Amino acid sequence: MEHGIYAREVYSTFGGMDPQIPLLCCCDACATMFVAFSQEFVFCRRDCVNQDYTKIYGYNRIVPGNWIYFKNAPKPGVVKSVFQGPDREIVVVNYDGASEKKMELPKVVIEQEESSEGYRLLPAQSAQILLGDNVYHAIRDQFGLAVGLVNDGEKDKLVVLLKDSTLVFITLPPLAQNLPNDRLREIVQGKLSQVFPEDSGKVSVEVGQGIVYLKGLVKNYTIQRAMENCVSALPKVRGCVNFTRLQVSTQITDSDIESSIYELLESPAMHLFDYKVNVSGGKVQIQSSCYENERPKDLENRLGEIPGVRDLVCLVTELSDPMNVELCKELETDLSTNALLRGTYIRVSCNNRKFLLEGHVQSTFQKQLALFTLLKKTKTTAVENRLRLI
């Protein structure tokens, strides 16, 4: 049956997806919904994913460099060369990087390939198969399609629909088997108790077929993401679906969050400039710049610990060729020692030959005074004044 695949979060599904991204899959025919992970599907050309799709003589067009499997052969090899005659075809195949074998075969005309990139070989490659893969069952000498992964109560099995409409259930090898749910739940709960002793008591763990579901309450966004990363890194965890919620006071507004973010960004330890902040419904987006090798290492964690933050996107651009650095430092010193600018914090930077004033002041007079001081010393009008009134 046909399946529509929908990302649970806002990610592109055109190739290169990270393996732990959860996907909500819905069958268009029966409306069944289930959670899977992006490493179980192919979103781009198979030759961009890996190289173990094997072409089969007579069913695929063969070129040098392809993996090729001849029926009844013990294993596949790599095509070194192909020569065609009027009615014969000669294929030279390399096995194990050493021995080569010349195969002289009747010429086959292929009008339409069912799988131009090749097939997975069964049962040898059952652990590597992705849903939707075209397969060749070497023992049964039949082609088919991988249509599912199931558990019969004891073992995980691959479900293959063969050409003769037979459904074949192939037990996955031991290394590809999921841990029993109870055992994996015990491992995950133990790890969370060890790493997050103060927070794990409010988080419940559910497990199904190697997928871990986290539910409960956590203090802030940083802990929420750290828990998910901790679980995802454990062996035998196929992925982690994070349903935890943040303990956020209803009295915290977007303006409160924004003020806390500016307070952090404008602290002396943060060497950031040209920053833009957007907060909507607790979801935070920040763009900023810094000089090369001056990016704060714990920036995301500190931002995520701000009360009320529900989601965070933080983009920092490192500039390798800064301009007028010494002049900017002199201006900051002049502004900080000016008696008329007491109670302010002003940062000066220069990017693309444009000076930028950032920070906070207490009055419009101070904002204009800072601008006048900069204009007088730099003798340029390429200045943007972003000083905030607090």
Side-chain angles (χ1 to χ4, degrees):
M1 51 180 71
E2 211 173 307
H3 288 81
I5 299 174
Y6 306 92
R8 180 174 170 267
E9 301 179 41
V10 186
Y11 290 97
S12 166
T13 56
F14 181 74
M17 288 181 71
D18 293 332
Q20 301 298 335
I21 294 176
L23 301 169
L24 181 63
C25 304
C26 178
C27 173
D28 292 336
C30 65
T32 300
M33 300 175 73
F34 62 98
V35 173
F37 287 81
S38 54
Q39 77 268 29
E40 297 168 2
F41 297 87
V42 176
F43 290 103
C44 55
R45 287 180 55 84
R46 291 173 183 162
D47 54 4
C48 296
V49 179
N50 48 40
Q51 299 296 325
D52 51 5
Y53 289 88
T54 305
K55 294 191 173 182
I56 297 176
Y57 186 78
Y59 294 87
N60 293 104
R61 294 178 175 85
I62 307 299
V63 297
N66 289 155
W67 283 94
I68 189 170
Y69 176 78
F70 294 97
K71 291 184 179 182
N72 302 318
K75 58 187 174 183
V78 179
V79 177
K80 299 297 290 183
S81 58
V82 181
F83 302 93
Q84 286 189 350
D87 59 351
R88 308 291 288 175
E89 192 164 33
I90 299 174
V91 182
V92 178
V93 183
N94 185 290
Y95 291 97
D96 299 326
S99 60
E100 292 185 357
K101 187 174 181 180
K102 182 186 292 185
M103 311 285 290
E104 190 169 338
L105 305 156
K107 186 176 180 180
V108 178
V109 177
I110 302 171
E111 295 182 356
Q112 184 176 358
E113 291 178 282
E114 289 189 17
S115 178
S116 58
E117 284 85 17
Y119 297 82
R120 298 273 199 178
L121 300 180
L122 292 176
Q125 289 187 295
S126 57
Q128 289 81 34
I129 285 178
L130 304 171
L131 298 186
D133 270 350
N134 290 281
V135 299
Y136 173 69
H137 200 301
I139 298 174
R140 293 172 179 257
D141 190 17
Q142 274 202 64
F143 294 89
L145 191 70
V147 295
L149 293 165
V150 300
N151 184 281
D152 64 359
E154 295 182 0
K155 298 290 184 180
D156 295 306
K157 297 186 176 183
L158 173 70
V159 186
V160 177
L161 180 63
L162 295 177
K163 284 285 188 180
D164 64 359
S165 298
T166 301
L167 271 181
V168 178
F169 294 79
I170 301 174
T171 300
L172 298 179
L175 289 177
Q177 291 285 337
N178 292 309
L179 282 177
N181 292 341
D182 291 342
R183 176 58 183 150
L184 185 55
R185 185 187 302 110
E186 180 183 330
I187 292 172
V188 172
Q189 287 175 331
K191 187 66 174 179
L192 290 179
S193 298
Q194 176 188 355
V195 180
F196 306 95
E198 297 180 2
D199 303 280
S200 59
K202 295 181 180 180
V203 176
S204 64
V205 178
E206 297 179 12
V207 174
Q209 297 300 295
I211 301 173
V212 177
Y213 302 85
L214 301 179
K215 299 179 181 180
L217 296 173
V218 293
K219 286 187 294 189
N220 57 51
Y221 177 82
T222 294
I223 293 175
Q224 185 183 52
R225 289 303 167 201
M227 277 191 174
E228 182 178 334
N229 293 336
C230 176
V231 171
S232 298
L234 291 173
K236 290 293 185 178
V237 172
R238 286 169 54 212
C240 177
V241 182
N242 194 346
F243 290 132
T244 56
R245 294 178 291 114
L246 301 180
Q247 293 175 303
V248 179
S249 170
T250 56
Q251 297 178 347
I252 298 177
T253 66
D254 287 345
S255 296
D256 296 330
I257 298 171
E258 187 175 283
S259 296
S260 298
I261 291 172
Y262 277 118
E263 184 179 345
L264 174 62
L265 295 179
E266 293 170 0
S267 61
M270 292 288 171
H271 303 291
L272 298 172
F273 55 88
D274 195 11
Y275 41 80
K276 300 177 180 66
V277 178
N278 180 56
V279 182
S280 177
K283 297 182 178 180
V284 177
Q285 291 184 321
I286 298 174
Q287 289 181 303
S288 63
S289 300
C290 69
Y291 298 135
E292 195 171 24
N293 301 321
E294 288 191 357
R295 189 185 195 282
K297 294 182 180 179
D298 61 343
L299 178 60
E300 283 83 357
N301 286 339
R302 294 179 65 178
L303 288 167
E305 291 170 359
I306 293 175
V309 174
R310 299 175 183 272
D311 197 9
L312 175 64
V313 177
C314 182
L315 302 175
V316 180
T317 302
E318 292 192 33
L319 303 180
S320 58
D321 189 21
M323 300 176 63
N324 297 315
V325 176
E326 294 304 320
L327 178 57
C328 290
K329 289 181 178 178
E330 289 179 18
L331 282 163
E332 287 182 356
T333 301
D334 292 347
L335 294 169
S336 64
T337 56
N338 191 322
L340 297 176
L341 293 173
R342 287 179 181 172
T344 66
Y345 180 80
I346 302 174
R347 186 169 292 168
V348 183
S349 60
C350 183
N351 190 15
N352 294 326
R353 301 186 182 279
K354 181 179 181 179
F355 286 90
L356 183 62
L357 283 170
E358 293 176 295
H360 57 265
V361 294
Q362 296 177 333
S363 66
T364 303
F365 169 75
Q366 289 181 328
K367 184 173 181 177
Q368 295 302 319
L369 177 59
L371 175 61
F372 176 76
T373 303
L374 189 147
L375 292 173
K376 184 178 179 181
K377 188 153 190 171
T378 59
K379 296 181 174 59
T380 178
T381 57
V383 178
E384 184 177 353
N385 192 349
R386 290 190 199 163
L387 291 171
R388 299 180 301 114
L389 289 173
I390 59 170

